Amino acid sequence: MSADAQAQPLWKPGRTLLEQSNLKKYMDWLFVKKGLYFRSYHDLWEWSVTDLEDFWESLWNYFNIKSHDLYLEVLQKPLNGLIGTRWFTRSKLNYAEHIFRNKTKDRPAILFQSEKSELVEISWETLETQVAAVSTWLKQRGVKPGDRVAAVLPNIPQAVVAFLATNAVGAVWSSCSPDFGKPAITERFLQIEPKVLFTVDGYAYNGKSYDITAFAGELSAALPSVKDTVLIDNIFSETRPDRFTAWDDILHFENFGIDFEPVPFDHPIWILYSSGTTAKPKAITHSVGGCLIEHMKALMLHQNVKPGDRYFWYSTTGWMMWNYAMSSLLCGATLVMYDGAPAYPSSQVLWTLAEKARITHFGSGAAFFIASMKSGVSITSERLSHLETIGSTGSPLPPEAFEWIYKQVKKDVWLISLSGGTDVCSAFVGGCPLLPVYAGEIQCRMLGARIEAFDEDGKPVLNELGEMVITQPMPSMPIYFWNDEHDEKYISSYFEMYPHVWRHGDWIKITDRKSVIIYGRSDATLNRGGVRIGTAEIYRAVESIPDVKDSLAVYLEKSNGEGTISLFVVLAKDKELTDELKKQIRDTLRTQYSPRHVPDTIEQVGDIPYTINGKKMEAPMKRILMGQDPAKCINIDTMRNPESLKAFI
């Protein structure tokens, strides 16, 4: 028996969840409607990734997806590979129309709070009225299906309104957070040639207000395709370009309700962007139908989101989790939004919001939970009586953070660690209401996602480290990258290591019990004597030392096939990297893991480079340290803290 098999679960589903979860109801429906009986979740998963057509068609029927034309085929596969797969051919639908199927007077559509405003409710009636006005205005301004609508907006309700209006008319949405660098935003939107631009006068973060009105004017002028720019008063700046249209004027636009434009299943819904650490960020384009059916599956079946629940995920409009969280409206949930810093005015702010807004599903990046753990926030689980799930993504959540949540936050909460990406605007691995939770492990591979761990020969391995691959198509895989005529960028992004098999770039282990452990990015994986080590293990050990605030580990190959592990550490205030501390770091790694985990060099730096979305920039730092031109390795406009580069360059 492996050590994994001997571990004790931190949480097990209770009888109510086992019997009444959305996933159990779906399995009962499969038995009644199709005569399919599955003894376990893993049997259900095996069917879902083997009989693809039957599985996805069953979801279409179970979720009662509304199509304005009957579909001809569930699945059309290309001769080779995954690119070019088509789903539910000839069907026509609208994503926003499915959201408004859930409108009700019984509960609000959105709850919103920011650094500058208290918690407010937005009713379904108000949401519908505003979306109707903005969609009518878009049509009158000549926006047609397939046209692009761009937005530089913080995480505010107007962003949801603008997206739903864009989608209602069949146009394609693309958004950036206003804290992106100006060149980064311009570079993204120049690629897609938007017809309309939504922006704000400014935003508030960490107690400060930032006026971006001048930049909004510069951006509008730099995008020759933009015919109209709409300005939303967010910080009520005194400056306003005359040529801009006021958001409030649009809301008073006469309309006769929302006219939902049906579009083909594989019509683009939004364009998301790769991090752009090298070259231009890739414009990843997803389909209306693919995201609709995938998000209903992910949120309803894997997170058990139900009508009346309150769903929150701390995000910005530049991260795919914003799109993912908005899809809670598809489930009949109330979307809870927060705009501002997660630790201002204190590290309690989001936990207080969870209590005040009676949040059912509370999600954030793993870094938030680690920061909460280290700062010693005070949480009283009795005040979180409505909280059913905690979601974590963005980077691996270490086992001690799992344990902290169960000891310090709520002992009976269902912790859902999930991992996916901008690439599919969803998760490949995540939660299951029928399975236990183990420290440091993701519960399952999600339905319809044929995830394997491959060795270097392209063979699947169990209970061993391997490359995370996807061997069957999913509806929410990109339909294409914008301006990638022959799919060259698409192919180079996922299909170069294993022909016709999607390599995601994560280093994973599928355990004996079919849970998943992610060890970090495989392209930044450390190698010691042929044994591969995930960076997450290094960080877990090193950052458990009180004097170490943050760290970055990089493996530098040599021409003779050997290599060295370099560790960079950020220390607590007024601390220096002494020989004693270096010894403590090495001893900790050796004791907690193995001698192979011990770095060859340890250096102190002022800060670790991060992307705007909060990911450590391991691979770009590796390339810089191996002598490549920094300008070719990284785009500083995609960075949260570009000044951190000095120590590495």
Side-chain angles (χ1 to χ4, degrees):
M1 182 181 287
S2 71
D4 288 340
Q6 295 172 358
Q8 293 300 308
L10 295 170
W11 174 89
K12 288 182 178 179
R15 179 177 292 180
T16 301
L17 194 59
L18 287 171
E19 294 177 355
Q20 298 180 18
S21 67
N22 291 335
L23 183 60
K24 177 61 165 60
K25 289 177 180 177
Y26 167 63
M27 292 172 75
D28 292 344
W29 180 89
L30 285 174
F31 179 66
V32 172
K33 295 290 186 181
K34 291 180 167 287
L36 293 169
Y37 172 71
F38 301 102
R39 291 175 301 166
S40 69
Y41 172 79
H42 301 300
D43 288 344
L44 174 65
W45 177 83
E46 191 65 46
W47 169 73
S48 77
V49 296
T50 305
D51 295 338
L52 290 182
E53 291 188 50
D54 284 351
F55 167 66
W56 290 104
E57 187 174 42
S58 77
L59 291 187
W60 179 282
N61 294 322
Y62 183 71
F63 294 137
N64 190 26
I65 288 176
K66 178 182 177 181
S67 177
H68 294 257
D69 280 330
L70 294 175
Y71 60 82
L72 193 62
E73 292 179 277
V74 174
L75 177 61
Q76 263 187 14
K77 277 179 144 182
L79 290 175
N80 292 304
L82 308 183
I83 298 177
T85 302
R86 298 191 63 209
W87 299 88
F88 296 97
T89 57
R90 283 204 192 167
S91 64
K92 286 193 172 181
L93 36 71
N94 187 281
Y95 184 97
E97 183 176 20
H98 284 79
I99 280 180
F100 280 101
R101 291 199 302 188
N102 295 300
K103 69 178 181 180
T104 176
K105 294 182 178 179
D106 297 337
R107 55 185 173 269
I110 296 172
L111 291 170
F112 172 68
Q113 184 178 315
S114 72
E115 287 187 10
K116 289 180 166 289
S117 70
E118 290 300 310
L119 191 66
V120 295
E121 292 188 358
I122 293 152
S123 68
W124 277 97
E125 182 182 12
T126 298
L127 181 65
E128 185 176 37
T129 301
Q130 293 189 0
V131 170
V134 178
S135 61
T136 300
W137 178 84
L138 285 170
K139 276 190 171 181
Q140 293 214 0
R141 299 305 298 162
V143 176
K144 304 183 296 298
D147 286 344
R148 275 76 61 209
V149 172
V152 182
L153 298 175
N155 187 31
I156 55 177
Q158 293 93 324
V160 175
V161 172
F163 162 72
L164 291 174
T166 297
N167 183 262
V169 303
V172 187
W173 174 259
S174 192
S175 61
C176 285
S177 176
D179 58 352
F180 270 41
K182 295 176 184 178
I185 296 174
T186 308
E187 188 175 54
R188 281 159 169 73
F189 290 162
L190 273 172
Q191 293 185 61
I192 66 168
E193 300 178 297
K195 185 177 273 189
V196 171
L197 174 67
F198 287 98
T199 185
V200 281
D201 56 354
Y203 64 96
Y205 191 85
N206 213 28
K208 296 180 180 177
S209 291
Y210 299 87
D211 191 328
I212 66 163
T213 314
F215 166 62
E218 294 165 12
L219 178 64
S220 179
L223 299 171
S225 60
V226 169
K227 306 299 182 214
D228 290 280
T229 300
V230 179
L231 188 70
I232 298 168
D233 285 327
N234 192 47
I235 62 168
F236 299 97
S237 166
E238 294 180 3
T239 57
R240 174 192 296 279
D242 292 336
R243 64 185 183 281
F244 284 6
T245 301
W247 172 262
D248 288 345
D249 290 346
I250 295 177
L251 294 187
H252 295 119
F253 222 68
E254 185 177 4
N255 68 81
F256 301 97
I258 309 174
D259 184 16
F260 298 105
E261 181 72 35
V263 294
F265 188 96
D266 57 1
H267 184 86
I269 182 171
W270 47 54
I271 298 168
L272 306 177
Y273 302 92
S274 65
S275 59
T277 49
T278 63
K280 284 186 179 180
K282 294 181 277 287
I284 302 170
T285 311
H286 293 107
S287 71
V288 170
C291 288
L292 174 67
I293 198 167
E294 169 61 31
H295 287 172
M296 292 175 97
K297 177 208 79 177
L299 275 77
M300 290 191 202
L301 301 186
H302 288 278
Q303 289 189 256
N304 203 42
V305 181
K306 294 184 174 183
D309 284 356
R310 295 184 169 191
Y311 191 95
F312 169 79
W313 206 288
Y314 180 75
S315 182
T316 72
T317 59
W319 188 22
M320 51 84 34
M321 289 308 298
W322 183 83
N323 310 66
Y324 186 89
M326 186 170 50
S327 293
S328 61
L329 295 170
L330 290 170
C331 313
T334 294
L335 173 64
V336 184
M337 306 175 71
Y338 183 81
D339 182 42
Y344 177 85
S346 78
S347 52
Q348 297 279 149
V349 64
L350 295 186
W351 295 110
T352 303
L353 174 66
E355 175 195 351
K356 189 164 51 175
R358 305 197 303 278
I359 288 171
T360 320
H361 308 276
F362 179 96
S364 187
F368 167 78
F369 297 109
I370 295 168
S372 291
M373 177 179 68
K374 288 196 167 189
S375 66
V377 296
S378 173
I379 301 163
T380 307
S381 60
E382 292 77 26
R383 300 206 311 250
L384 298 176
S385 58
H386 293 84
L387 189 64
E388 295 177 6
T389 75
I390 287 179
S392 172
T393 192
S395 57
L397 189 68
E400 57 268 30
F402 275 72
E403 291 162 358
W404 173 81
I405 284 169
Y406 282 100
K407 286 177 184 174
Q408 301 296 329
V409 181
K410 195 174 183 183
K411 64 181 180 182
D412 60 345
V413 76
W414 170 22
L415 174 54
I416 302 171
S417 178
L418 53 96
S419 181
T422 302
D423 323 78
V424 289
C425 198
S426 186
F428 297 115
V429 293
C432 176
L434 310 181
L435 297 173
V437 171
Y438 291 86
E441 299 181 14
I442 296 173
Q443 285 176 287
C444 67
R445 293 172 281 183
M446 287 171 62
L447 296 176
R450 179 119 219 170
I451 303 300
E452 306 283 0
F454 268 19
D455 63 16
E456 291 180 355
D457 298 323
K459 303 282 174 50
V461 293
L462 189 66
N463 222 22
E464 292 179 29
L465 292 182
E467 286 277 0
M468 177 175 159
V469 299
I470 300 94
T471 61
Q472 292 285 8
M474 294 171 61
S476 67
M477 284 177 171
I479 40 178
Y480 43 73
F481 289 4
W482 202 266
N483 291 334
D484 183 25
E485 190 176 348
H486 301 293
D487 293 321
E488 291 174 6
K489 294 176 185 175
Y490 199 162
I491 292 166
S492 68
S493 295
Y494 311 112
F495 300 103
E496 286 191 334
M497 179 173 280
Y498 307 108
H500 309 310
V501 172
W502 176 303
R503 170 196 174 243
H504 194 60
D506 280 334
W507 199 237
I508 69 167
K509 178 169 75 175
I510 299 169
T511 71
D512 293 332
R513 54 174 162 260
K514 309 293 175 63
S515 63
V516 178
I517 302 172
I518 296 184
Y519 291 87
R521 294 293 295 174
S522 57
D523 52 9
T525 299
L526 314 178
N527 193 325
R528 181 55 68 70
V531 176
R532 296 186 178 184
I533 301 166
T535 52
E537 291 180 332
I538 301 276
Y539 304 145
R540 179 191 172 197
V542 171
E543 292 167 26
S544 69
I545 298 169
D547 286 353
V548 179
K549 282 179 60 181
D550 205 354
S551 60
L552 182 84
V554 179
Y555 179 73
L556 303 175
E557 293 96 342
K558 295 181 179 178
S559 57
N560 62 1
E562 297 177 355
T564 59
I565 295 176
S566 295
L567 178 68
F568 300 89
V569 293
V570 179
L571 300 184
K573 189 177 180 182
D574 299 329
K575 295 293 181 181
E576 293 294 329
L577 185 60
T578 61
D579 289 342
E580 289 81 3
L581 183 53
K582 287 183 180 181
K583 182 178 184 301
Q584 185 182 1
I585 290 170
R586 291 189 172 104
D587 289 347
T588 301
L589 285 164
R590 187 179 289 108
T591 303
Q592 291 192 17
Y593 289 104
S594 77
R596 287 193 171 94
H597 287 72
V598 177
D600 299 278
T601 62
I602 306 175
E603 294 182 43
Q604 182 177 354
V605 293
D607 203 1
I608 298 299
Y610 277 87
T611 67
I612 284 173
N613 290 337
K615 294 188 178 181
K616 294 184 184 185
M617 303 181 74
E618 297 167 328
M621 292 310 102
K622 174 178 176 174
R623 290 193 284 271
I624 287 173
L625 291 168
M626 292 187 73
Q628 293 186 24
D629 180 357
K632 294 181 179 178
C633 297
I634 200 159
N635 180 346
I636 63 169
D637 296 311
T638 66
M639 292 186 65
R640 187 174 78 189
N641 52 349
E643 67 282 354
S644 63
L645 285 175
K646 292 177 183 176
F648 296 86
I649 296 174

